[in-house]
Coordinates of all heavy atoms in Angstrom, one line a residue:
G67 N 81.5 85.7 109.3 CA 80.1 86.1 109.3 C 79.2 84.9 108.9 O 78.1 85.1 108.4
I183 N 106.4 80.8 88.0 CA 106.6 81.8 89.1 C 107.0 83.1 88.5 O 106.5 84.2 88.8 CB 107.5 81.3 90.2 CG1 106.9 80.1 90.9 CG2 107.9 82.4 91.1 CD1 107.9 79.4 91.9
G196 N 104.2 78.1 100.0 CA 103.5 77.5 101.1 C 103.0 76.1 100.8 O 103.0 75.7 99.7
S198 N 104.5 73.3 101.3 CA 105.6 72.7 100.6 C 106.5 72.0 101.5 O 106.8 72.4 102.6 CB 106.3 73.8 99.8 OG 107.5 73.3 99.2
G212 N 111.0 85.0 91.5 CA 110.0 86.0 91.7 C 109.1 85.8 92.9 O 108.3 86.7 93.2
E345 N 102.8 96.5 103.0 CA 104.1 96.5 102.2 C 104.2 95.2 101.4 O 104.7 95.3 100.3 CB 105.2 96.6 103.2 CG 105.4 97.9 103.9 CD 106.5 97.9 104.9 OE1 106.9 96.8 105.4 OE2 107.0 99.0 105.3
T357 N 99.0 108.9 107.4 CA 99.7 110.1 107.0 C 99.1 110.7 105.7 O 98.3 110.0 105.1 CB 101.2 109.8 106.8 OG1 101.3 108.7 105.8 CG2 101.9 109.3 108.1
G359 N 97.6 111.7 102.5 CA 97.4 111.0 101.2 C 97.0 109.5 101.3 O 96.5 108.9 100.4

Side-chain angles (χ1 to χ4, degrees):
I183 291 172
S198 171
E345 289 176 341
T357 55

